[in-house]
Amino acid sequence: ELILTGSQQEGFSKQMVEILHKHNIQFSSFDIFSDEEVRQGLKAYSNWPTYPQLYVSGELIGGLDIIKELEASEELDTICPKAPKLEERLKVLTNKASVMLFMKGNKQEAKCGFSKQILEILNSTGVEYETFDILEDEEVRQGLKAYSNWPTYPQLYVKGELVGGLDIVKELKENGELLPILRGEN
């Protein structure tokens, strides 16, 4: 876990955030201006008088100057955890639930006719499923097309495997094959 203390808008913190993003480093941040007790306590705890402070796995790495030195010596990448690669992320997402639907919109509100139709079909089966709104995440929207080798949405996955889009789901429903597939009985 990477923790950046300081407001992400403030000058030094903003520079540190830019360095972390440039190196594709995954981190969370805490705004010390939101909690005066933490702001004062952390200075004593870390024996470091200024902000921002970068921590990796609970250990203080240092402030902006040290991060810049680590970046220059190319040590930053070895110290900090990388954000997961897109392919890893897609694998996790397609396996998030036993039945996963990637669509425009969500269960409550479909944002296109095809997504609306596939929701109606899935709802009629009574099978539990999760949705992912591809309009909220352009990286996933583009990446999943290549990952699945399927150019359009919606896309239905069962246990991480692509079943297909609306036409295939309609066909499976008409053939009586949809329910067994959704239940993982195929």
Side-chain angles (χ1 to χ4, degrees), residues 3-47:
I3 298 182
L4 172 80
T5 54
S7 161
Q8 285 197 29
Q9 311 316 314
E10 180 257 321
F12 295 129
S13 294
K14 190 175 178 192
Q15 286 180 53
M16 192 181 286
V17 167
E18 284 167 4
I19 291 169
L20 296 176
H21 281 310
K22 186 168 88 181
H23 289 265
N24 193 31
I25 291 168
Q26 193 173 21
F27 67 94
S28 60
S29 64
F30 179 82
D31 183 355
I32 47 146
F33 296 117
S34 68
D35 191 324
E36 188 60 28
E37 193 178 9
V38 170
R39 182 179 180 176
Q40 297 309 327
L42 204 53
K43 288 179 184 179
Y45 170 80
S46 63
N47 197 18

Side-chain angles (χ1 to χ4, degrees), residues 92-105:
V92 168
L93 281 173
T94 55
N95 285 283
K96 187 176 167 212
S98 183
V99 179
M100 242 347 251
L101 178 65
F102 291 82
M103 60 177 285
K104 293 177 180 173

Side-chain angles (χ1 to χ4, degrees), residues 43-177:
K43 288 179 184 179
Y45 170 80
S46 63
N47 197 18
W48 195 270
T50 59
Y51 290 106
Q53 297 176 2
L54 182 68
Y55 290 81
V56 177
S57 305
E59 300 261 334
L60 175 69
I61 303 302
L64 182 60
D65 290 345
I66 287 178
I67 301 313
K68 284 180 173 176
E69 282 173 30
L70 289 170
E71 182 186 32
S73 68
E74 297 181 3
E75 290 177 76
L76 190 63
D77 290 328
T78 57
I79 294 172
C80 298
K82 293 287 202 182
K85 295 274 182 271
L86 179 60
E87 193 168 322
E88 271 306 299
R89 208 174 145 219
L90 294 174
K91 190 175 179 182
V92 168
L93 281 173
T94 55
N95 285 283
K96 187 176 167 212
S98 183
V99 179
M100 242 347 251
L101 178 65
F102 291 82
M103 60 177 285
K104 293 177 180 173
N106 56 41
K107 271 187 191 180
Q108 289 71 39
E109 185 193 5
K111 301 238 170 96
C112 85
F114 299 123
S115 291
K116 187 176 190 314
Q117 287 180 57
I118 206 165
L119 280 181
E120 288 166 0
I121 293 169
L122 287 175
N123 289 338
S124 74
T125 66
V127 171
E128 289 282 313
Y129 66 95
E130 291 288 322
T131 62
F132 183 93
D133 184 354
I134 55 151
L135 299 175
E136 299 287 315
D137 192 322
E138 190 60 26
E139 188 182 41
V140 169
R141 182 180 184 172
Q142 297 308 325
L144 197 60
K145 290 178 188 181
Y147 178 83
S148 64
N149 199 16
W150 195 267
T152 59
Y153 289 100
Q155 291 184 16
L156 182 67
Y157 287 77
V158 174
K159 295 191 168 122
E161 296 290 317
L162 176 69
V163 174
L166 179 61
D167 291 344
I168 288 175
V169 170
K170 277 182 175 173
E171 200 176 296
L172 290 170
K173 185 181 184 216
E174 287 161 17
N175 298 345
E177 296 172 49

